[in-house]
Short mmCIF file of all heavy atoms in Angstrom, two decimals:
data_model
loop_
_atom_site.label_atom_id
_atom_site.label_comp_id
_atom_site.label_asym_id
_atom_site.label_seq_id
_atom_site.Cartn_x
_atom_site.Cartn_y
_atom_site.Cartn_z
N ARG B 1 92.81 117.69 90.94
CA ARG B 1 91.87 116.75 90.36
C ARG B 1 90.48 117.07 90.84
O ARG B 1 90.24 117.03 92.04
CB ARG B 1 92.28 115.29 90.73
CG ARG B 1 93.54 114.77 90.06
CD ARG B 1 93.70 113.29 90.37
NE ARG B 1 94.88 112.77 89.75
CZ ARG B 1 96.12 112.72 90.28
NH1 ARG B 1 96.26 113.23 91.50
NH2 ARG B 1 97.18 112.28 89.64
N THR B 2 89.58 117.34 89.98
CA THR B 2 88.19 117.63 90.36
C THR B 2 87.47 116.31 90.59
O THR B 2 87.89 115.23 90.19
CB THR B 2 87.47 118.44 89.30
OG1 THR B 2 87.31 117.64 88.14
CG2 THR B 2 88.24 119.73 88.99
N TYR B 3 86.30 116.46 91.28
CA TYR B 3 85.52 115.23 91.59
C TYR B 3 84.95 114.62 90.34
O TYR B 3 84.63 113.39 90.30
CB TYR B 3 84.43 115.52 92.53
CG TYR B 3 84.92 115.90 94.00
CD1 TYR B 3 84.84 117.17 94.47
CD2 TYR B 3 85.46 114.86 94.76
CE1 TYR B 3 85.29 117.51 95.72
CE2 TYR B 3 85.97 115.21 95.98
CZ TYR B 3 85.89 116.50 96.45
OH TYR B 3 86.32 116.82 97.76
N SER B 4 84.79 115.39 89.30
CA SER B 4 84.21 114.78 88.05
C SER B 4 85.29 114.12 87.16
O SER B 4 84.98 113.67 86.10
CB SER B 4 83.59 115.99 87.26
OG SER B 4 84.51 116.94 86.90
N GLY B 5 86.55 114.17 87.65
CA GLY B 5 87.59 113.53 86.86
C GLY B 5 88.42 114.47 86.00
O GLY B 5 89.34 114.05 85.34
N GLY B 6 88.07 115.76 86.04
CA GLY B 6 88.81 116.73 85.26
C GLY B 6 89.99 117.28 86.08
O GLY B 6 90.37 116.73 87.07
N LYS B 7 90.49 118.39 85.61
CA LYS B 7 91.63 119.02 86.28
C LYS B 7 91.49 120.54 86.17
O LYS B 7 90.97 121.05 85.21
CB LYS B 7 92.94 118.55 85.74
CG LYS B 7 93.27 118.97 84.28
CD LYS B 7 94.54 118.47 83.83
CE LYS B 7 94.88 118.90 82.40
NZ LYS B 7 96.16 118.40 81.92
N LYS B 8 91.92 121.24 87.26
CA LYS B 8 91.99 122.67 87.24
C LYS B 8 93.36 123.15 87.68
O LYS B 8 93.97 122.55 88.58
CB LYS B 8 90.98 123.25 88.28
CG LYS B 8 89.50 123.18 87.80
CD LYS B 8 88.62 123.94 88.76
CE LYS B 8 87.16 123.95 88.27
NZ LYS B 8 86.28 124.67 89.18
N ARG B 9 93.89 124.16 86.95
CA ARG B 9 95.17 124.68 87.30
C ARG B 9 95.16 125.37 88.59
O ARG B 9 94.20 126.13 88.93
CB ARG B 9 95.65 125.66 86.19
CG ARG B 9 97.03 126.17 86.55
CD ARG B 9 97.55 127.08 85.40
NE ARG B 9 98.80 127.68 85.86
CZ ARG B 9 99.51 128.59 85.13
NH1 ARG B 9 99.05 128.90 83.90
NH2 ARG B 9 100.63 129.09 85.61
N VAL B 10 96.16 125.22 89.45
CA VAL B 10 96.33 125.90 90.70
C VAL B 10 97.41 126.94 90.56
O VAL B 10 98.58 126.57 90.25
CB VAL B 10 96.73 124.85 91.84
CG1 VAL B 10 96.92 125.60 93.13
CG2 VAL B 10 95.59 123.83 91.97
N GLY B 11 97.06 128.17 90.77
CA GLY B 11 98.05 129.21 90.63
C GLY B 11 98.69 129.67 92.04
O GLY B 11 99.75 130.27 92.03
N ILE B 12 97.95 129.34 93.11
CA ILE B 12 98.48 129.60 94.41
C ILE B 12 98.21 128.38 95.30
O ILE B 12 97.08 127.89 95.37
CB ILE B 12 97.68 130.82 95.11
CG1 ILE B 12 97.58 131.95 94.19
CG2 ILE B 12 98.40 131.27 96.38
CD1 ILE B 12 96.54 133.02 94.64
N LEU B 13 99.25 127.99 96.08
CA LEU B 13 99.11 126.88 96.97
C LEU B 13 99.52 127.35 98.36
O LEU B 13 100.69 127.65 98.60
CB LEU B 13 99.92 125.65 96.61
CG LEU B 13 99.62 124.41 97.44
CD1 LEU B 13 98.21 123.93 97.24
CD2 LEU B 13 100.63 123.31 97.11
N TYR B 14 98.54 127.56 99.20
CA TYR B 14 98.82 127.93 100.64
C TYR B 14 99.00 126.63 101.36
O TYR B 14 98.04 125.80 101.55
CB TYR B 14 97.60 128.73 101.13
CG TYR B 14 97.60 129.25 102.55
CD1 TYR B 14 98.75 129.08 103.40
CD2 TYR B 14 96.54 129.92 103.09
CE1 TYR B 14 98.77 129.51 104.66
CE2 TYR B 14 96.55 130.45 104.38
CZ TYR B 14 97.71 130.26 105.14
OH TYR B 14 97.69 130.71 106.47
N ARG B 15 100.23 126.39 101.75
CA ARG B 15 100.52 125.00 102.33
C ARG B 15 100.81 125.09 103.79
O ARG B 15 101.38 125.99 104.35
CB ARG B 15 101.66 124.41 101.52
CG ARG B 15 102.90 125.29 101.30
CD ARG B 15 103.88 125.24 102.42
NE ARG B 15 105.06 126.10 102.28
CZ ARG B 15 106.24 125.81 102.61
NH1 ARG B 15 106.50 124.69 103.18
NH2 ARG B 15 107.21 126.68 102.56
N HIS B 16 100.48 123.97 104.51
CA HIS B 16 100.81 123.83 105.91
C HIS B 16 101.60 122.54 106.05
O HIS B 16 101.38 121.73 106.96
CB HIS B 16 99.51 123.79 106.78
CG HIS B 16 99.02 125.17 107.10
ND1 HIS B 16 99.30 125.88 108.25
CD2 HIS B 16 98.27 126.01 106.32
CE1 HIS B 16 98.67 127.01 108.19
NE2 HIS B 16 98.06 127.16 107.03
N ILE B 17 102.58 122.38 105.15
CA ILE B 17 103.48 121.24 105.20
C ILE B 17 104.92 121.77 105.25
O ILE B 17 105.27 122.69 104.47
CB ILE B 17 103.28 120.35 104.03
CG1 ILE B 17 101.92 119.68 104.05
CG2 ILE B 17 104.35 119.30 103.89
CD1 ILE B 17 101.56 118.78 102.85
N SER B 18 105.72 121.27 106.12
CA SER B 18 107.13 121.72 106.26
C SER B 18 107.88 121.57 104.95
O SER B 18 107.65 120.64 104.16
CB SER B 18 107.85 121.04 107.40
OG SER B 18 107.20 121.27 108.61
N ASP B 19 108.89 122.43 104.72
CA ASP B 19 109.64 122.43 103.46
C ASP B 19 110.12 121.03 103.06
O ASP B 19 110.03 120.61 101.91
CB ASP B 19 110.85 123.33 103.59
CG ASP B 19 110.45 124.78 103.64
OD1 ASP B 19 109.33 125.16 103.43
OD2 ASP B 19 111.36 125.64 103.89
N GLU B 20 110.67 120.32 104.06
CA GLU B 20 111.34 119.07 103.75
C GLU B 20 110.40 117.95 103.26
O GLU B 20 110.82 116.93 102.64
CB GLU B 20 112.20 118.56 104.90
CG GLU B 20 111.37 118.26 106.19
CD GLU B 20 111.28 119.48 107.12
OE1 GLU B 20 111.29 120.61 106.64
OE2 GLU B 20 111.17 119.24 108.29
N TYR B 21 109.11 118.17 103.44
CA TYR B 21 108.11 117.17 103.02
C TYR B 21 107.34 117.62 101.81
O TYR B 21 106.45 116.90 101.32
CB TYR B 21 107.17 116.85 104.17
CG TYR B 21 107.88 116.28 105.37
CD1 TYR B 21 107.88 117.05 106.53
CD2 TYR B 21 108.53 115.05 105.37
CE1 TYR B 21 108.58 116.53 107.67
CE2 TYR B 21 109.19 114.55 106.46
CZ TYR B 21 109.16 115.33 107.64
OH TYR B 21 109.91 114.79 108.72
N MET B 22 107.62 118.83 101.25
CA MET B 22 106.78 119.38 100.21
C MET B 22 106.95 118.65 98.85
O MET B 22 106.03 118.51 98.09
CB MET B 22 107.15 120.83 99.99
CG MET B 22 106.36 121.79 100.87
SD MET B 22 104.56 121.68 100.55
CE MET B 22 104.37 122.16 98.87
N ASP B 23 108.17 118.16 98.57
CA ASP B 23 108.43 117.56 97.25
C ASP B 23 109.38 116.34 97.42
O ASP B 23 110.58 116.62 97.64
CB ASP B 23 109.03 118.59 96.31
CG ASP B 23 109.14 118.07 94.86
OD1 ASP B 23 109.25 116.85 94.68
OD2 ASP B 23 109.30 118.87 93.95
N PRO B 24 108.91 115.11 97.31
CA PRO B 24 109.82 113.98 97.56
C PRO B 24 110.93 113.87 96.51
O PRO B 24 111.91 113.16 96.74
CB PRO B 24 108.81 112.80 97.49
CG PRO B 24 107.66 113.27 96.75
CD PRO B 24 107.53 114.71 97.05
N LEU B 25 110.75 114.59 95.39
CA LEU B 25 111.83 114.48 94.34
C LEU B 25 112.92 115.51 94.59
O LEU B 25 113.97 115.51 94.03
CB LEU B 25 111.22 114.69 92.95
CG LEU B 25 110.19 113.57 92.57
CD1 LEU B 25 109.68 113.83 91.15
CD2 LEU B 25 110.83 112.17 92.68
N ALA B 26 112.61 116.57 95.46
CA ALA B 26 113.56 117.61 95.72
C ALA B 26 114.16 117.54 97.16
O ALA B 26 115.23 117.91 97.40
CB ALA B 26 112.89 119.00 95.50
N PHE B 27 113.29 117.05 98.11
CA PHE B 27 113.76 117.13 99.46
C PHE B 27 113.72 115.70 100.04
O PHE B 27 114.45 114.85 99.58
CB PHE B 27 112.86 118.08 100.29
CG PHE B 27 112.76 119.43 99.71
CD1 PHE B 27 111.60 120.04 99.32
CD2 PHE B 27 113.96 120.24 99.64
CE1 PHE B 27 111.51 121.32 98.85
CE2 PHE B 27 113.88 121.50 99.19
CZ PHE B 27 112.66 122.08 98.77
N GLU B 28 112.90 115.44 101.08
CA GLU B 28 112.85 114.14 101.67
C GLU B 28 112.13 113.10 100.82
O GLU B 28 110.90 113.20 100.59
CB GLU B 28 112.16 114.32 103.08
CG GLU B 28 111.95 113.00 103.82
CD GLU B 28 113.25 112.28 104.07
OE1 GLU B 28 114.12 112.80 104.69
OE2 GLU B 28 113.33 111.10 103.63
N SER B 29 112.88 112.15 100.32
CA SER B 29 112.34 111.24 99.34
C SER B 29 111.24 110.32 99.96
O SER B 29 110.41 109.70 99.22
CB SER B 29 113.46 110.34 98.76
OG SER B 29 114.11 109.61 99.75
N SER B 30 111.22 110.12 101.28
CA SER B 30 110.24 109.25 101.89
C SER B 30 108.95 109.96 102.23
O SER B 30 107.98 109.30 102.69
CB SER B 30 110.82 108.68 103.19
OG SER B 30 111.00 109.66 104.13
N SER B 31 108.81 111.19 101.89
CA SER B 31 107.59 111.92 102.15
C SER B 31 106.41 111.38 101.39
O SER B 31 106.43 111.16 100.21
CB SER B 31 107.80 113.46 101.82
OG SER B 31 106.53 114.12 101.96
N LEU B 32 105.31 111.17 102.16
CA LEU B 32 104.08 110.70 101.59
C LEU B 32 102.96 111.79 101.57
O LEU B 32 101.82 111.54 101.20
CB LEU B 32 103.54 109.46 102.35
CG LEU B 32 104.50 108.28 102.46
CD1 LEU B 32 103.86 107.21 103.31
CD2 LEU B 32 104.71 107.73 101.02
N ILE B 33 103.33 113.03 101.99
CA ILE B 33 102.36 114.09 102.02
C ILE B 33 102.70 115.24 101.10
O ILE B 33 101.98 116.25 101.08
CB ILE B 33 102.22 114.61 103.49
CG1 ILE B 33 103.60 115.13 104.03
CG2 ILE B 33 101.65 113.57 104.42
CD1 ILE B 33 103.50 115.78 105.43
N GLY B 34 103.75 115.11 100.32
CA GLY B 34 104.17 116.19 99.40
C GLY B 34 103.63 115.91 98.01
O GLY B 34 102.84 114.99 97.74
N VAL B 35 104.05 116.82 97.07
CA VAL B 35 103.62 116.69 95.68
C VAL B 35 104.86 116.65 94.81
O VAL B 35 105.65 117.58 94.73
CB VAL B 35 102.79 117.96 95.29
CG1 VAL B 35 102.35 117.85 93.85
CG2 VAL B 35 101.62 118.18 96.26
N PRO B 36 105.08 115.48 94.18
CA PRO B 36 106.22 115.40 93.31
C PRO B 36 106.31 116.41 92.24
O PRO B 36 105.30 116.75 91.58
CB PRO B 36 106.05 113.95 92.71
CG PRO B 36 105.19 113.23 93.65
CD PRO B 36 104.28 114.27 94.21
N ASN B 37 107.51 117.02 92.12
CA ASN B 37 107.80 117.99 91.04
C ASN B 37 107.24 119.41 91.30
O ASN B 37 107.27 120.26 90.41
CB ASN B 37 107.44 117.55 89.63
CG ASN B 37 108.45 116.58 89.08
OD1 ASN B 37 109.67 116.80 89.24
ND2 ASN B 37 108.00 115.52 88.38
N ILE B 38 106.61 119.61 92.43
CA ILE B 38 106.03 120.95 92.71
C ILE B 38 107.10 122.00 92.74
O ILE B 38 106.89 123.15 92.36
CB ILE B 38 105.25 120.94 94.06
CG1 ILE B 38 104.32 122.22 94.10
CG2 ILE B 38 106.11 120.91 95.25
CD1 ILE B 38 103.31 122.19 95.16
N MET B 39 108.39 121.61 93.12
CA MET B 39 109.40 122.67 93.15
C MET B 39 109.77 123.05 91.73
O MET B 39 110.23 124.23 91.52
CB MET B 39 110.66 122.13 93.92
CG MET B 39 110.52 122.02 95.40
SD MET B 39 110.07 123.61 96.17
CE MET B 39 111.58 124.50 95.84
N GLU B 40 109.60 122.17 90.77
CA GLU B 40 109.94 122.54 89.40
C GLU B 40 108.82 123.46 88.82
O GLU B 40 109.17 124.40 88.05
CB GLU B 40 109.98 121.26 88.49
CG GLU B 40 111.24 120.47 88.73
CD GLU B 40 112.50 121.27 88.55
OE1 GLU B 40 112.72 121.95 87.53
OE2 GLU B 40 113.35 121.30 89.55
N ALA B 41 107.59 123.27 89.29
CA ALA B 41 106.52 124.18 88.92
C ALA B 41 106.75 125.55 89.52
O ALA B 41 106.49 126.59 88.86
CB ALA B 41 105.14 123.59 89.40
#
């Protein structure tokens, strides 16, 4: 989400979040720092 309210596609995500917190729909459901459905992407 851009600051102007638009959106830009992300082709690479360099992440510093442990696997179990990356996607609450795939791993730890209580995670508040992951991105839902990122594993499907």
